[in-house]
Amino acid sequence: MFDVSQIKEHAEIISADGLHIGTVDRVEGNRIKLTKKDSGAGHEDHHHFIDIDLVESVDENRVRLTARSADVISSEEEESGSPVH
């Protein structure tokens, strides 16, 4: 188990299959807000969010997720809370 307060600004987010997903901007409610500059190709102009329920653990400057990269990317949300398509 982890404490949400352990998730720090600029921490790297890693999928269950070990791929870089993004960089933490901050935690907002029950979602992690990713930095704009690290939100993936074609999405640099807005923030994406990852549900806090996908977090498996937090250690030092890394947030490890329970989901594989393809699943994380398909479940990312935009600022409105709607899924990214």
Coordinates of all heavy atoms in Angstrom, one line a residue:
M1 N 0.8 -1.2 0.0 CA 0.0 0.0 0.0 C 0.9 1.2 0.0 O 2.0 1.2 0.5 CB -0.9 0.0 1.2 CG -2.0 0.9 1.2 SD -3.2 0.3 -0.1 CE -4.5 1.4 0.2
F2 N 0.4 2.3 -0.5 CA 1.1 3.6 -0.6 C 0.2 4.7 -0.1 O -1.0 4.6 -0.1 CB 1.6 3.8 -2.0 CG 0.5 4.2 -3.0 CD1 0.2 5.5 -3.2 CD2 -0.3 3.2 -3.6 CE1 -0.8 5.9 -4.1 CE2 -1.3 3.5 -4.4 CZ -1.6 4.9 -4.7
D3 N 0.9 5.8 0.2 CA 0.2 7.0 0.6 C 0.3 8.0 -0.6 O 1.3 8.2 -1.1 CB 0.9 7.6 1.8 CG 0.3 8.8 2.4 OD1 -0.6 9.4 1.7 OD2 0.6 9.2 3.5
V4 N -0.9 8.5 -0.9 CA -0.9 9.4 -2.1 C 0.0 10.6 -1.9 O 0.6 11.1 -2.9 CB -2.4 10.0 -2.3 CG1 -2.4 11.0 -3.4 CG2 -3.3 8.8 -2.6
S5 N 0.3 11.0 -0.7 CA 1.3 12.1 -0.5 C 2.7 11.7 -0.9 O 3.5 12.6 -1.0 CB 1.2 12.5 1.0 OG 1.8 11.5 1.8
Q6 N 3.0 10.5 -1.1 CA 4.3 10.0 -1.6 C 4.5 10.4 -3.1 O 5.6 10.4 -3.5 CB 4.4 8.5 -1.4 CG 4.5 8.1 0.0 CD 4.6 6.5 0.1 OE1 3.6 5.9 -0.2 NE2 5.7 6.0 0.4
I7 N 3.4 10.6 -3.8 CA 3.5 10.9 -5.2 C 4.0 12.4 -5.4 O 3.3 13.3 -5.0 CB 2.2 10.7 -6.0 CG1 1.8 9.3 -5.8 CG2 2.3 11.1 -7.4 CD1 0.4 9.0 -6.4
K8 N 5.2 12.6 -5.9 CA 5.8 13.9 -5.9 C 5.8 14.5 -7.3 O 5.9 13.7 -8.3 CB 7.3 13.8 -5.4 CG 7.4 13.2 -4.0 CD 6.8 14.1 -3.0 CE 7.0 13.6 -1.6 NZ 6.1 14.2 -0.6
E9 N 5.8 15.8 -7.4 CA 6.0 16.5 -8.7 C 7.2 16.0 -9.4 O 8.3 15.9 -8.7 CB 6.0 18.0 -8.4 CG 6.1 18.9 -9.6 CD 6.1 20.3 -9.2 OE1 5.6 20.7 -8.1 OE2 6.6 21.1 -10.0
H10 N 7.2 15.8 -10.6 CA 8.3 15.4 -11.5 C 8.7 14.0 -11.4 O 9.7 13.6 -11.9 CB 9.5 16.3 -11.4 CG 9.2 17.8 -11.7 ND1 8.7 18.2 -12.9 CD2 9.2 18.9 -10.9 CE1 8.5 19.5 -12.8 NE2 8.8 19.9 -11.6
A11 N 7.9 13.2 -10.6 CA 8.2 11.7 -10.5 C 7.9 11.1 -11.9 O 6.9 11.5 -12.6 CB 7.4 11.1 -9.4
E12 N 8.7 10.1 -12.2 CA 8.4 9.3 -13.5 C 7.3 8.3 -13.2 O 7.3 7.6 -12.2 CB 9.7 8.6 -13.9 CG 9.6 7.8 -15.1 CD 10.9 7.1 -15.6 OE1 11.7 6.9 -14.7 OE2 11.0 6.8 -16.7
I13 N 6.5 8.1 -14.2 CA 5.4 7.1 -14.1 C 5.8 6.0 -15.1 O 6.0 6.2 -16.2 CB 4.0 7.7 -14.5 CG1 3.7 8.9 -13.6 CG2 3.0 6.7 -14.5 CD1 2.5 9.7 -14.0
I14 N 5.8 4.8 -14.5 CA 6.2 3.6 -15.2 C 5.1 2.6 -15.2 O 4.5 2.3 -14.2 CB 7.4 2.9 -14.5 CG1 8.6 3.9 -14.3 CG2 7.9 1.7 -15.2 CD1 9.3 4.3 -15.5
S15 N 4.8 2.0 -16.4 CA 3.8 1.0 -16.5 C 4.2 -0.4 -16.0 O 5.4 -0.5 -15.7 CB 3.4 0.8 -18.0 OG 4.5 0.3 -18.7
A16 N 3.3 -1.3 -15.9 CA 3.6 -2.6 -15.3 C 4.6 -3.4 -16.2 O 5.4 -4.2 -15.8 CB 2.3 -3.4 -15.2
D17 N 4.6 -3.0 -17.5 CA 5.6 -3.6 -18.4 C 6.9 -2.8 -18.6 O 7.7 -3.0 -19.5 CB 5.0 -4.0 -19.8 CG 4.2 -2.8 -20.4 OD1 3.9 -1.8 -19.7 OD2 4.0 -2.9 -21.6
G18 N 7.1 -1.9 -17.6 CA 8.4 -1.2 -17.5 C 8.6 0.0 -18.5 O 9.7 0.6 -18.5
L19 N 7.5 0.5 -19.2 CA 7.7 1.6 -20.1 C 7.3 2.9 -19.4 O 6.5 3.0 -18.5 CB 6.8 1.4 -21.3 CG 7.1 0.2 -22.1 CD1 6.1 0.0 -23.3 CD2 8.5 0.3 -22.7
H20 N 8.0 4.0 -19.8 CA 7.8 5.3 -19.4 C 6.5 5.8 -19.9 O 6.2 5.8 -21.1 CB 8.9 6.2 -19.9 CG 8.7 7.7 -19.5 ND1 9.1 8.2 -18.3 CD2 8.1 8.7 -20.3 CE1 8.8 9.5 -18.3 NE2 8.2 9.8 -19.5
I21 N 5.6 6.2 -19.0 CA 4.2 6.7 -19.4 C 4.2 8.2 -19.4 O 3.5 8.8 -20.2 CB 3.2 6.1 -18.4 CG1 3.1 4.6 -18.5 CG2 1.8 6.7 -18.7 CD1 2.7 4.1 -19.9
G22 N 4.9 8.8 -18.4 CA 4.8 10.3 -18.3 C 5.5 10.8 -17.1 O 6.2 10.0 -16.4
T23 N 5.3 12.0 -16.8 CA 5.9 12.7 -15.6 C 4.8 13.4 -14.8 O 3.9 14.0 -15.4 CB 6.9 13.7 -16.0 OG1 7.9 13.1 -16.8 CG2 7.6 14.4 -14.8
V24 N 4.8 13.2 -13.5 CA 3.8 13.8 -12.6 C 3.9 15.3 -12.6 O 5.0 15.8 -12.4 CB 3.9 13.2 -11.2 CG1 3.0 14.0 -10.2 CG2 3.8 11.7 -11.1
D25 N 2.7 15.9 -12.8 CA 2.6 17.4 -12.6 C 2.2 17.6 -11.2 O 2.8 18.2 -10.4 CB 1.6 18.0 -13.6 CG 1.6 19.5 -13.5 OD1 2.5 20.1 -12.9 OD2 0.7 20.1 -14.1
R26 N 1.1 16.9 -10.8 CA 0.6 16.9 -9.4 C -0.6 15.9 -9.3 O -1.1 15.4 -10.3 CB 0.2 18.3 -9.0 CG -1.0 18.9 -9.7 CD -1.4 20.3 -9.1 NE -2.3 21.0 -10.0 CZ -2.0 21.9 -10.9 NH1 -0.7 22.3 -11.0 NH2 -2.9 22.5 -11.6
V27 N -1.0 15.7 -8.1 CA -2.2 14.9 -7.8 C -3.4 15.8 -7.7 O -3.3 16.8 -6.9 CB -2.0 14.0 -6.6 CG1 -3.3 13.3 -6.3 CG2 -0.9 13.0 -6.8
E28 N -4.5 15.5 -8.4 CA -5.7 16.3 -8.3 C -6.9 15.3 -8.0 O -7.3 14.6 -8.8 CB -6.0 17.1 -9.6 CG -5.1 18.2 -9.8 CD -5.5 19.0 -11.0 OE1 -6.5 18.7 -11.7 OE2 -4.8 20.0 -11.3
G29 N -7.3 15.4 -6.7 CA -8.4 14.4 -6.3 C -7.9 13.0 -6.4 O -6.9 12.6 -5.8
N30 N -8.6 12.2 -7.2 CA -8.2 10.8 -7.3 C -7.5 10.5 -8.7 O -7.5 9.4 -9.2 CB -9.5 9.9 -7.2 CG -10.5 10.1 -8.4 OD1 -10.4 11.1 -9.0 ND2 -11.4 9.2 -8.6
R31 N -6.9 11.6 -9.2 CA -6.1 11.4 -10.5 C -4.8 12.0 -10.4 O -4.6 13.0 -9.7 CB -6.9 12.0 -11.6 CG -8.3 11.5 -11.8 CD -9.0 12.1 -13.0 NE -9.1 13.5 -13.0 CZ -9.5 14.2 -14.1 NH1 -9.9 13.6 -15.2 NH2 -9.5 15.5 -14.1
I32 N -3.8 11.4 -11.2 CA -2.5 12.0 -11.3 C -2.5 12.8 -12.6 O -2.9 12.3 -13.7 CB -1.4 11.0 -11.4 CG1 -1.4 10.1 -10.1 CG2 -0.1 11.6 -11.7 CD1 -0.5 8.9 -10.3
K33 N -2.2 14.1 -12.5 CA -2.1 15.0 -13.6 C -0.7 14.9 -14.2 O 0.3 15.1 -13.5 CB -2.4 16.4 -13.2 CG -2.4 17.4 -14.3 CD -2.8 18.8 -13.8 CE -3.0 19.8 -14.8 NZ -3.5 21.1 -14.2
L34 N -0.6 14.6 -15.5 CA 0.7 14.5 -16.2 C 1.1 15.9 -16.7 O 0.3 16.7 -17.0 CB 0.7 13.5 -17.3 CG 0.8 12.0 -17.0 CD1 -0.3 11.5 -16.1 CD2 0.9 11.2 -18.3
T35 N 2.5 16.1 -16.8 CA 2.9 17.3 -17.3 C 2.5 17.4 -18.8 O 2.5 16.4 -19.5 CB 4.5 17.5 -17.2 OG1 5.1 16.4 -17.9 CG2 4.9 17.5 -15.8
K36 N 2.3 18.6 -19.3 CA 1.9 18.8 -20.7 C 3.0 18.3 -21.6 O 2.8 17.6 -22.6 CB 1.6 20.2 -21.0 CG 0.3 20.7 -20.6 CD 0.1 22.1 -21.1 CE -1.1 22.7 -20.5 NZ -1.3 24.1 -21.0
K37 N 4.3 18.6 -21.3 CA 5.4 18.3 -22.2 C 5.7 16.8 -22.2 O 6.4 16.4 -23.1 CB 6.6 19.1 -21.8 CG 7.2 18.6 -20.5 CD 8.5 19.4 -20.1 CE 9.0 18.9 -18.8 NZ 10.3 19.4 -18.5
D38 N 5.1 16.0 -21.4 CA 5.4 14.6 -21.3 C 4.1 13.8 -21.4 O 3.9 12.8 -20.7 CB 6.2 14.2 -20.1 CG 6.9 12.9 -20.2 OD1 6.9 12.3 -21.3 OD2 7.4 12.4 -19.2
S39 N 3.1 14.3 -22.2 CA 1.8 13.6 -22.3 C 1.7 12.8 -23.6 O 0.6 12.4 -23.9 CB 0.7 14.7 -22.2 OG 0.5 15.1 -20.9
G40 N 2.8 12.7 -24.3 CA 2.7 11.8 -25.5 C 2.6 12.7 -26.8 O 2.1 13.8 -26.8
A41 N 3.1 12.1 -27.9 CA 3.1 12.8 -29.2 C 1.7 13.2 -29.6 O 0.7 12.4 -29.5 CB 3.7 11.9 -30.2
G42 N 1.5 14.4 -30.0 CA 0.2 14.9 -30.4 C -0.7 15.4 -29.3 O -1.8 15.9 -29.5
H43 N -0.2 15.3 -28.1 CA -1.0 15.7 -26.9 C -0.2 16.8 -26.0 O -0.6 16.9 -24.9 CB -1.4 14.5 -26.1 CG -2.2 13.5 -26.8 ND1 -3.5 13.7 -27.1 CD2 -1.8 12.3 -27.3 CE1 -4.0 12.7 -27.7 NE2 -3.0 11.8 -27.9
E44 N 0.8 17.4 -26.6 CA 1.6 18.3 -25.8 C 0.9 19.6 -25.4 O 1.3 20.3 -24.5 CB 2.9 18.7 -26.6 CG 3.8 17.6 -26.9 CD 3.4 16.9 -28.3 OE1 2.4 17.2 -28.9 OE2 4.2 16.1 -28.7
D45 N -0.3 19.9 -26.0 CA -1.0 21.1 -25.7 C -2.0 21.0 -24.6 O -2.7 22.0 -24.2 CB -1.7 21.6 -27.0 CG -2.7 20.6 -27.5 OD1 -2.6 19.4 -27.2 OD2 -3.7 21.0 -28.2
H46 N -2.1 19.9 -23.9 CA -3.0 19.7 -22.8 C -2.6 18.6 -21.9 O -1.7 17.8 -22.2 CB -4.5 19.5 -23.3 CG -4.6 18.3 -24.2 ND1 -4.4 18.3 -25.5 CD2 -4.9 17.0 -23.9 CE1 -4.6 17.1 -26.0 NE2 -4.9 16.3 -25.0
H47 N -3.1 18.6 -20.7 CA -2.7 17.6 -19.7 C -3.6 16.4 -19.8 O -4.7 16.4 -20.3 CB -3.0 18.2 -18.3 CG -2.1 19.3 -17.9 ND1 -0.9 19.1 -17.4 CD2 -2.3 20.6 -17.9 CE1 -0.3 20.3 -17.1 NE2 -1.2 21.2 -17.4
H48 N -3.0 15.2 -19.5 CA -3.7 14.0 -19.4 C -3.6 13.6 -17.9 O -2.8 14.0 -17.1 CB -3.0 12.9 -20.2 CG -3.3 13.0 -21.6 ND1 -2.6 12.5 -22.6 CD2 -4.4 13.6 -22.3 CE1 -3.1 12.7 -23.8 NE2 -4.2 13.4 -23.6
F49 N -4.6 12.7 -17.5 CA -4.7 12.3 -16.2 C -4.7 10.7 -16.1 O -5.2 10.1 -17.0 CB -6.0 12.8 -15.6 CG -6.0 14.3 -15.4 CD1 -6.3 15.1 -16.5 CD2 -5.8 14.9 -14.2 CE1 -6.4 16.5 -16.3 CE2 -5.8 16.2 -14.0 CZ -6.1 17.0 -15.1
I50 N -4.2 10.2 -15.0 CA -4.2 8.7 -14.8 C -4.9 8.5 -13.4 O -4.6 9.2 -12.5 CB -2.8 8.1 -14.8 CG1 -2.2 8.3 -16.1 CG2 -2.9 6.7 -14.4 CD1 -0.7 7.8 -16.2
D51 N -5.9 7.6 -13.4 CA -6.6 7.3 -12.2 C -5.6 6.8 -11.1 O -4.8 5.9 -11.4 CB -7.7 6.3 -12.5 CG -8.7 6.2 -11.3 OD1 -8.3 5.8 -10.2 OD2 -9.8 6.6 -11.5
I52 N -5.8 7.3 -9.9 CA -4.9 6.9 -8.8 C -5.0 5.4 -8.5 O -4.1 4.8 -8.0 CB -5.2 7.7 -7.5 CG1 -4.0 7.9 -6.7 CG2 -6.4 7.2 -6.8 CD1 -3.0 8.9 -7.1
D53 N -6.2 4.8 -8.9 CA -6.4 3.3 -8.6 C -5.4 2.5 -9.4 O -5.2 1.3 -9.1 CB -7.8 2.9 -9.0 CG -8.8 3.5 -8.0 OD1 -8.4 3.8 -6.8 OD2 -10.0 3.6 -8.3
L54 N -4.7 3.0 -10.5 CA -3.8 2.3 -11.3 C -2.4 2.2 -10.6 O -1.5 1.5 -11.1 CB -3.7 2.9 -12.7 CG -4.9 2.7 -13.5 CD1 -4.7 3.4 -14.9 CD2 -5.3 1.3 -13.7
V55 N -2.2 2.9 -9.5 CA -0.9 3.0 -8.9 C -0.7 1.7 -8.1 O -1.5 1.4 -7.2 CB -0.7 4.2 -8.0 CG1 0.6 4.2 -7.3 CG2 -0.8 5.5 -8.9
E56 N 0.4 1.1 -8.3 CA 0.8 -0.1 -7.5 C 1.7 0.3 -6.3 O 1.5 -0.2 -5.2 CB 1.6 -1.1 -8.4 CG 2.0 -2.4 -7.6 CD 2.7 -3.4 -8.4 OE1 3.1 -3.1 -9.6 OE2 2.8 -4.5 -8.0
S57 N 2.7 1.1 -6.6 CA 3.6 1.5 -5.6 C 4.3 2.9 -6.0 O 4.3 3.3 -7.1 CB 4.7 0.5 -5.4 OG 5.5 0.3 -6.5
V58 N 4.9 3.5 -4.9 CA 5.6 4.7 -5.1 C 7.0 4.5 -4.4 O 7.0 4.2 -3.2 CB 4.9 5.9 -4.5 CG1 5.7 7.2 -4.7 CG2 3.5 6.1 -5.1
D59 N 8.1 4.7 -5.1 CA 9.4 4.6 -4.5 C 10.3 5.7 -5.1 O 10.4 5.9 -6.2 CB 10.0 3.2 -4.7 CG 10.2 2.9 -6.2 OD1 11.1 3.4 -6.8 OD2 9.4 2.0 -6.7
E60 N 10.9 6.4 -4.1 CA 11.7 7.6 -4.5 C 11.1 8.5 -5.5 O 10.2 9.2 -5.2 CB 13.1 7.1 -4.9 CG 13.8 6.3 -3.7 CD 15.3 6.0 -4.0 OE1 15.9 6.7 -4.9 OE2 15.8 5.1 -3.4
N61 N 11.6 8.5 -6.7 CA 11.1 9.4 -7.7 C 10.4 8.6 -8.9 O 10.4 9.0 -10.0 CB 12.2 10.2 -8.3 CG 11.7 11.5 -8.9 OD1 10.7 12.0 -8.5 ND2 12.4 12.0 -9.9
R62 N 9.7 7.5 -8.5 CA 9.0 6.7 -9.5 C 7.6 6.3 -9.0 O 7.5 5.9 -7.8 CB 9.8 5.4 -9.9 CG 11.0 5.7 -10.7 CD 11.4 4.5 -11.5 NE 12.4 4.8 -12.4 CZ 13.7 4.6 -12.2 NH1 14.1 4.0 -11.1 NH2 14.6 4.9 -13.1
V63 N 6.7 6.3 -9.9 CA 5.3 5.8 -9.6 C 5.1 4.6 -10.5 O 5.2 4.7 -11.7 CB 4.2 6.9 -9.9 CG1 2.8 6.3 -9.7 CG2 4.5 8.1 -9.0
R64 N 4.9 3.5 -9.9 CA 4.7 2.2 -10.7 C 3.3 1.9 -10.7 O 2.6 1.9 -9.7 CB 5.5 1.1 -10.1 CG 7.0 1.4 -10.1 CD 7.9 0.2 -9.7 NE 9.2 0.5 -9.7 CZ 10.1 0.6 -10.7 NH1 9.6 0.3 -11.9 NH2 11.3 0.9 -10.6
L65 N 2.8 1.5 -11.9 CA 1.4 1.2 -12.2 C 1.1 -0.3 -12.3 O 2.0 -1.1 -12.5 CB 1.0 1.9 -13.5 CG 1.2 3.4 -13.6 CD1 0.7 3.9 -14.9 CD2 0.5 4.1 -12.5
T66 N -0.1 -0.7 -12.0 CA -0.5 -2.1 -12.2 C -0.9 -2.4 -13.6 O -0.9 -3.6 -13.9 CB -1.8 -2.3 -11.3 OG1 -2.8 -1.5 -11.7 CG2 -1.5 -2.1 -9.8
A67 N -1.1 -1.4 -14.4 CA -1.5 -1.7 -15.8 C -0.3 -1.6 -16.8 O 0.6 -0.9 -16.6 CB -2.6 -0.7 -16.2
R68 N -0.5 -2.4 -17.9 CA 0.5 -2.3 -19.0 C 0.4 -1.0 -19.7 O -0.7 -0.4 -19.7 CB 0.3 -3.5 -19.9 CG 0.6 -4.8 -19.2 CD 0.3 -6.0 -20.0 NE 1.0 -6.1 -21.3 CZ 2.3 -6.5 -21.4 NH1 2.9 -7.0 -20.4 NH2 2.8 -6.5 -22.6
S69 N 1.4 -0.6 -20.5 CA 1.4 0.7 -21.1 C 0.2 0.9 -22.1 O -0.4 2.0 -22.1 CB 2.7 0.9 -21.9 OG 2.9 -0.2 -22.8
A70 N -0.1 -0.1 -22.9 CA -1.3 0.0 -23.8 C -2.6 0.3 -23.1 O -3.4 1.1 -23.5 CB -1.4 -1.2 -24.7
D71 N -2.8 -0.4 -21.9 CA -4.0 -0.2 -21.1 C -4.0 1.2 -20.5 O -5.1 1.8 -20.3 CB -4.1 -1.3 -20.1 CG -4.2 -2.7 -20.7 OD1 -4.8 -2.8 -21.8 OD2 -3.8 -3.6 -20.1
V72 N -2.8 1.7 -20.0 CA -2.8 3.0 -19.4 C -3.1 4.1 -20.4 O -3.9 4.9 -20.1 CB -1.4 3.2 -18.8 CG1 -1.2 4.7 -18.3 CG2 -1.1 2.3 -17.7
I73 N -2.5 4.0 -21.6 CA -2.7 5.0 -22.6 C -4.2 5.0 -23.0 O -4.8 6.1 -23.2 CB -1.8 4.7 -23.8 CG1 -0.4 5.0 -23.4 CG2 -2.2 5.6 -25.0 CD1 0.7 4.5 -24.3
S74 N -4.8 3.8 -23.1 CA -6.2 3.8 -23.5 C -7.2 4.3 -22.4 O -8.3 4.7 -22.6 CB -6.7 2.4 -23.9 OG -6.6 1.5 -22.9
S75 N -6.7 4.3 -21.1 CA -7.5 4.8 -20.0 C -7.2 6.2 -19.6 O -7.9 6.7 -18.7 CB -7.4 3.8 -18.8 OG -6.1 4.0 -18.2
E76 N -6.2 6.8 -20.2 CA -5.9 8.2 -19.8 C -7.1 9.1 -20.1 O -7.9 8.9 -21.0 CB -4.7 8.7 -20.6 CG -3.4 8.2 -20.2 CD -2.2 8.8 -21.0 OE1 -2.5 9.4 -22.1 OE2 -1.1 8.7 -20.6
E77 N -7.2 10.1 -19.2 CA -8.3 11.1 -19.4 C -7.7 12.4 -19.6 O -6.6 12.7 -19.3 CB -9.1 11.1 -18.1 CG -9.8 9.8 -17.7 CD -10.5 9.9 -16.3 OE1 -10.3 10.9 -15.6 OE2 -11.2 8.9 -16.0
E78 N -8.6 13.3 -20.3 CA -8.2 14.7 -20.5 C -8.8 15.5 -19.3 O -9.4 14.9 -18.4 CB -8.7 15.2 -21.8 CG -8.0 14.4 -23.0 CD -8.3 15.0 -24.3 OE1 -9.2 15.9 -24.4 OE2 -7.7 14.5 -25.3
E79 N -8.6 16.8 -19.3 CA -9.0 17.6 -18.2 C -10.4 17.5 -17.9 O -10.8 17.6 -16.7 CB -8.6 19.1 -18.4 CG -7.1 19.2 -18.4 CD -6.6 20.7 -18.4 OE1 -7.0 21.4 -17.4 OE2 -6.0 21.1 -19.3
S80 N -11.3 17.3 -18.8 CA -12.7 17.2 -18.6 C -13.1 15.9 -17.9 O -14.2 15.8 -17.4 CB -13.4 17.3 -20.0 OG -13.1 16.1 -20.7
G81 N -12.2 15.0 -17.8 CA -12.5 13.7 -17.2 C -13.0 12.7 -18.2 O -13.3 11.5 -17.9
S82 N -13.1 13.1 -19.5 CA -13.4 12.1 -20.5 C -12.2 11.4 -21.0 O -11.1 11.9 -21.1 CB -14.2 12.8 -21.7 OG -13.4 13.8 -22.2
P83 N -12.4 10.1 -21.4 CA -11.3 9.3 -21.9 C -10.7 9.9 -23.2 O -11.4 10.6 -24.0 CB -11.9 7.9 -22.3 CG -13.2 7.9 -21.5 CD -13.6 9.3 -21.4
V84 N -9.4 9.6 -23.4 CA -8.7 10.1 -24.6 C -9.0 9.1 -25.7 O -8.9 7.9 -25.5 CB -7.2 10.1 -24.4 CG1 -6.4 10.5 -25.6 CG2 -6.8 11.1 -23.2
H85 N -9.3 9.6 -26.9 CA -9.6 8.7 -28.1 C -8.7 9.1 -29.2 O -8.3 10.1 -29.4 CB -11.0 8.8 -28.5 CG -12.0 8.3 -27.5 ND1 -12.1 7.0 -27.2 CD2 -12.8 8.9 -26.7 CE1 -13.0 6.8 -26.2 NE2 -13.5 8.0 -25.9

